[in-house]
Structure formats: C-alpha cells, structure tokens
Amino acid sequence: MSSRPPPALPAQKPVELGKLIEVAYLVVILSAFAWAKEFLLPLILAILISFLLAPVVSRLERWRFPRAVAVLSVVAIAFALIGGLCSTLSLEGLDLVNSLPKYRDNIHARWAAIQQGPPGPLNQALSNFDALITDLGKVTASGGVQQPEVTRVQIVSGADNVLAIVKNSLTPVAGPIGEFAVVVLLVVFMLLERKRFRVRFLQLIGHSRVATTTLAVDEAGSKLSRFLLGQLVVNTGYALVLGLGLSLIGIPNALLWAVLTLVLRFLPYVGLWISAFFPLLLSIAISTSWKEPILTLTLYGSLEVFTNNFVEPFVLGASTGMAPLAIIVSALFWTWLWGPIGLLLATPLTACLVVFGRYFPAFHICSVLLAAEPPSSSETRFILLLTENRLPEANALLQELGGMQLSVGIAEELILPTLRAIENDLYPGATNSTKSRIYAQLRELIEEMKVERSVELEQPPEQSTPKQPGMAIVPFMGEGDEIVGRVIARLLAAKGIGTDLLSWRTLRAEKVERLKELKAPWILLSAIESRSVITVGKMAHSIKLEVPDALILVGLWSLPTEGAARWVRRIKESSGNALYTNIDEAVRGIASLVPQVADELQARAEK
C-alpha cells in the first residue's frame, strides 16, 4: 500500500505562488499606467466627462430628442462653457498682471511694516530674506550692463522667415489644442455609442460573471455620474457666493478667483486652499490695514465649513464611498504617478476601485483599504441590499454565492445568519415597515431559488401513492420563524417529505386546532429569536398535551450568548424530543424519521 504525501504541504506553494503573481500583476499594471501616461490621460478625461454628461444626454433622449442631436448639443454647450472659463481665466489673469504695478508702493509699505514687527526668529528670517532679494537685484543690475556685441547680419528669404515665425508660434499651442480636440472627439463617440461600449465591455471582462460585472459597472458609472455632477453643482454655487463676497470686500478680479475656485475644488482637500492663497495674498498687497485679509480668510473659512457640513452631505452624500484618509493617500499616489492631472483624477479613479473591490476578489484589497465602510460579511451586504430595495443586486449576490440554488449550504451561510441579524440585532421585537419590506423581498428571492430534487425520489404519476401525513411546521412567534420554516419545507420537499407550513399570523389556539386537523406525525416548532429560548419549551409542552400522538421537534435557530446549554437541556426535558440549532441537522434529523428517505441517505453514504 503506497503512501501519499500529506495534501496540506504542497497546497501551500500554489497559494504563495498565487500571491506573488497578484503582486506581479499589480506592478505590471502600475508600470503600464506610468509608461502609457500620454495615451491614457486623454482617454480617462474623456471617460470622466462622458460620465458627467451622460445623465443630461439620457434626459434629452427620454424627451424624444434624436441621439445625435442630444449628444452634439450637450457636448457643444459643455465645451463652450469650458472654453468660456478658460478665456475668463486668461483675460482676468492678464488684467491682474497689468494692474499689479499700481500696488507696488503699498506692497513695499506692507513689507516694511512686517519687518518692523517685534524682534524674534520670524523677524530675523524676514530681514535676511529681504537682504537676499536686495543682493540678487544688485547682481542682476550689474550683470545687465554689458558692452554691445557686434550684430551679425544674415540674409534670409521672406518666405522662410514667415514659416519659421509661424512654426515657433504654433508649436507650444498645437499640442494642447490637439489633445483638446481628441478629448472632444472621444466624448462625442463615447456618448453616441455608450450602450454598445457597455455591452462590449461586459462581454470582454465579465463573460463568466455577467450579473456581477453588470452590477459593478452600473454602480461605478452611477457613482461617478452622481459625484461629478453633484460636485459641479456644489462648486458652481460656491463660486457664485465667493465671487459676490470678494467683490463686496473689494478684492480685484473677483471673477478670476471665483472661476479658479470652481475648477480647483475638484481637487480633494488642497484645491480650495490653492485657490484661496492668491486672493489672500492680494488682499494683503492692496490694503493698508488687516481688515480685508481677515474678511477674505473669514469668507473662505465660513463657506468651506458650511459647504462641507450642510451642502455636500445633502447633495453628494456618500457618493464616492471612500474614507477621508483614503482620499488623501490616493491623491498623493495619482499625483506621483501622473502629476497634476493625476490629482484631478484621483477621486474618480479610486472610487471605481472601491466599487470593483465589492464585486471582484482581485480588487478586494482596494475596498478594505480605501472604502469608508470596508466590505463586510455576506449577510451584512445582503441585509443592506434588501434594506435599500436593491433587489437585483441581492439576486446577483445569491447568484454569486449559490447560483440561485436553494441548498443547505446557502441556507446556513446566508439566509439563516441574515434572519438572526434582523431578529436579534437590527429589528428585534415587533414588526415595522422596514422589517416587513425586507421579509417581502426575502420571500420573493427564496421562491425564485430552485431546489435540486433527488432523482431516486421522483416517481411517475401512475406509480404515485396516496398522500401520507407529513411534517407540520409551526412558526413560534414572528415572520422570521415562518421564513426559516419555508426554507426547511422546500429542502424537505426535495427529499420527498411533504410539509404543511402554518402562517405566523395564526393565533396559538388556532394553531393547535389546525394541528389536530392535520394529524401530522411530526411537528416542528421554528423559533429564530434568541429570547424565544425562554418560552419555546412551554409552547412545545402545551402542544404535546393537545396533540399527544405527534412527535414534537424544536428548531431553535438562535442560541443566547449565556446559558445556552442550560436552556437547551430544559427544553429537551420539557418536550422530551429532539432540538435542532441549525438547518443542516434539522433536515438530516427529520429525513431520518421517514423510512424511505433514511434508506436512501444510508445508501448514498455507503457509496
């Protein structure tokens, strides 16, 4: 008899090799991002702008606008606004530069006043800095007086001279204009073909998990659209109020600072203060007192506090699903990888990684490290989806875990923990509207799930026997008890055991009368709440007195945190029969009570 090596030892190498492969994939992807920067940046910018404009285009299409008209009109208006903002920034910036000489005397006076402050390290540093600037000015002035050089005369043709001037003038401008045109073209085609792109993308990366991939792509797209559109609305309102406030304070070129703030507030955390630095510096330069700088700083601070605490939670909510620290870290990472454009794209890109981490194991680490609420257990996700009425996503979760197949495994791993959390932690006690809505959706999902029936138990209609009395399942108290009973009933039906499930709304006296009518040889008392352990034994005992010929079984699906063994012993003593604490042992125990099912299970065990 040959000996085999223990399976546990070689199984560790593929796991370690798999981790190394994942790290290698990550390094390759990041290297590709850095190497293909010039190619990826216009593409990603076009995708983000498409997500921003897609809701508007969809709204026009619902209003019966032709797709081409809706796309072209929205893109034209959007890029006209972008061009207007760029022109405003350019004109206002030139006006500011030309007006700075008017404030030269005031700047000198302000600098002298700062240097005449109380003695200390700061005053000494300012004095040294002023002396350094003065010395550099002298060096520049002395170096500027030079003997005139002999002018070299070169005769060139007029045509060559014109071509050289045109080439030198257009070279710095041609690159940005070309990239801008490429982005506009990509946005137009992405909006026109967005549905086809979505289908092709799903077929490309999600051919084996279409439902999960569809949900991930849809959630990422909706999150990005809501975030970008909401952030644009917030920034526009912020810029309007800021421009009005700066004008009232007397800060020159208030329109320039308002437009700059509108754009820079898309940068997480640092964008606002980059835009606030220049108006603060200008307020110090133009004023003879500290009134204008204090008012300017107060305006920015009060607007930011009000927007962050009242406006953004209402408009944006938790649209990105990212932790604050994760936003900072992602901003640093993408800035390191792609420069200033990476800082602008950091939040949208990282939000996509967080969404993908909820659906794909390869991105799971992204959700763990970056999500505001890290991915939790399957039952927590399941409850969240049911609470938010996201039934298709709950269906996809069941599809992912069990392929919409109702089995003992899926009942133990998902359905029973979900009911325990609802009844014992989230909504204990009386039924409310949220709890009823969750249970209504859960019933619908359970009914959609299929149960694999044993082939050996299927009989042709002509060989069928008259229906024999089967199992009666009695919910102890609430709707959760009935749902567990429904799951057990379907699992038992797959094994050829008929069941009669009583409604949880039935009164106790009516339950006893119904049990007498059914004359069921086995009665299962189902209880999901942990506090039911106190009184379920009494009910089992009373049913035993009323229906003495029946075998009373107790299903206690939630044990108390303390004294569980003591309560289990009391219940067994009071009813004198079996007690089950999970669905697996309940199905096996009940199946063993039926001779033909017990024989089948024994035969399968011997194979």
Side-chain angles (χ1 to χ4, degrees), residues 310-330:
F310 298 98
V311 179
E312 287 185 345
F314 177 75
V315 178
L316 298 178
S319 56
T320 60
M322 295 170 55
L325 181 60
I327 295 177
I328 298 175
V329 174
S330 65

Side-chain angles (χ1 to χ4, degrees), residues 435-481:
K435 188 176 179 180
S436 300
R437 187 176 67 251
I438 292 174
Y439 279 154
Q441 296 177 86
L442 187 55
R443 286 173 181 271
E444 182 178 344
L445 291 173
I446 292 175
E447 290 300 323
E448 291 180 5
M449 298 177 75
K450 299 178 181 179
V451 184
E452 184 178 358
R453 184 177 174 84
S454 301
V455 179
E456 294 84 351
L457 298 176
E458 294 181 354
Q459 293 181 345
E462 62 271 10
Q463 297 179 359
S464 60
T465 58
K467 181 180 178 181
Q468 300 295 326
M471 166 74 65
I473 301 178
V474 182
F476 174 63
M477 185 179 300
E479 191 172 3
D481 303 332

Side-chain angles (χ1 to χ4, degrees), residues 248-472:
L248 294 176
I249 294 173
I251 305 299
N253 303 98
L255 182 60
L256 170 64
W257 312 125
V259 173
L260 193 64
T261 302
L262 187 152
V263 176
L264 291 179
R265 273 197 99 251
F266 279 98
L267 304 180
Y269 296 107
V270 299
L272 170 74
W273 300 112
I274 293 175
S275 65
F277 174 77
F278 300 102
L280 285 172
L281 192 63
L282 187 60
S283 66
I284 296 173
I286 67 172
S287 62
T288 57
S289 65
W290 292 102
K291 177 183 176 181
E292 286 79 4
I294 292 175
L295 288 177
T296 303
L297 182 61
T298 303
L299 176 64
Y300 273 97
S302 57
L303 271 178
E304 189 66 13
V305 170
F306 179 78
T307 304
N308 287 341
N309 291 280
F310 298 98
V311 179
E312 287 185 345
F314 177 75
V315 178
L316 298 178
S319 56
T320 60
M322 295 170 55
L325 181 60
I327 295 177
I328 298 175
V329 174
S330 65
L332 293 174
F333 172 77
W334 291 107
T335 305
W336 167 74
L337 191 65
W338 281 347
I341 300 297
L343 180 61
L344 180 64
L345 303 177
T347 301
L349 291 177
T350 311
C352 291
L353 293 178
V354 170
V355 173
F356 289 158
R358 296 176 52 193
Y359 294 93
F360 302 110
F363 294 94
H364 181 73
I365 189 174
C366 297
S367 285
V368 174
L369 296 178
L370 304 174
E373 296 180 359
S376 54
S377 57
S378 298
E379 64 269 17
T380 305
R381 288 175 54 196
F382 194 50
I383 294 171
L384 178 63
L385 296 176
L386 295 178
T387 305
E388 297 178 353
N389 295 323
R390 295 155 65 181
L391 195 59
E393 297 179 43
N395 197 319
L397 179 60
L398 288 174
Q399 184 76 32
E400 178 183 346
L401 295 177
M404 289 303 291
Q405 192 82 16
L406 183 59
S407 61
V408 173
I410 199 68
E412 286 288 344
E413 295 173 7
L414 183 64
I415 298 177
L416 198 56
T418 297
L419 292 170
R420 286 184 183 129
I422 292 173
E423 292 291 348
N424 298 319
D425 301 325
L426 301 178
Y427 306 103
T431 303
N432 55 43
S433 58
T434 304
K435 188 176 179 180
S436 300
R437 187 176 67 251
I438 292 174
Y439 279 154
Q441 296 177 86
L442 187 55
R443 286 173 181 271
E444 182 178 344
L445 291 173
I446 292 175
E447 290 300 323
E448 291 180 5
M449 298 177 75
K450 299 178 181 179
V451 184
E452 184 178 358
R453 184 177 174 84
S454 301
V455 179
E456 294 84 351
L457 298 176
E458 294 181 354
Q459 293 181 345
E462 62 271 10
Q463 297 179 359
S464 60
T465 58
K467 181 180 178 181
Q468 300 295 326
M471 166 74 65

Side-chain angles (χ1 to χ4, degrees), residues 180-196:
F180 183 80
V182 169
V183 171
V184 174
L185 204 61
L186 286 174
V187 170
V188 171
F189 279 101
M190 286 180 180
L191 290 174
L192 286 174
E193 302 290 331
R194 63 188 188 279
K195 294 182 179 179
R196 295 181 182 177

